[in-house]
Amino acid sequence: MSNIPHDDWGTRVQTLDKHLQKALSKVSHQANTVTIILSDHGNAYGRFVEKTLQGREETYHPLLDIILPNGAKANLGEYK
């Protein structure tokens, strides 16, 4: 979980980019780990949301990514 405060320009969250990339790279190579990444709202925040239609729409585009290990197919079965 990250607890970086929101700002109108998105500069604070950018401080996580390198750390997030390193963490995702590491978990993507773990054989017995399913990683779920999610957000509580979309990528827009602040004045952009308040003043534009596009910003209000992006509020409802939360992130959900799931990283499955390479061997997951053997454990979960094939998609049919």
Side-chain angles (χ1 to χ4, degrees):
M1 176 182 162
S2 83
N3 198 15
I4 301 290
H6 296 80
D7 63 49
D8 288 339
W9 301 276
T11 54
R12 292 181 184 161
V13 74
Q14 291 176 22
T15 63
L16 292 176
D17 288 351
K18 290 181 182 178
H19 301 287
L20 181 59
Q21 186 275 331
K22 185 176 179 180
L24 293 177
S25 179
K26 188 172 186 175
V27 298
S28 69
H29 292 95
Q30 294 180 350
N32 297 314
T33 302
V34 173
T35 303
I36 301 172
I37 303 163
L38 55 99
S39 69
D40 60 343
H41 58 75
N43 56 342
Y45 194 83
R47 291 183 195 151
F48 181 64
V49 170
E50 296 167 7
K51 299 193 180 288
T52 68
L53 177 60
Q54 181 182 354
R56 288 191 294 277
E57 289 172 353
E58 287 181 12
T59 299
Y60 302 103
H61 295 160
L63 170 74
L64 173 62
D65 279 338
I66 301 174
I67 300 172
L68 294 173
N70 287 334
K73 183 178 169 181
N75 293 324
L76 298 174
E78 290 189 42
Y79 176 77
K80 296 182 181 185

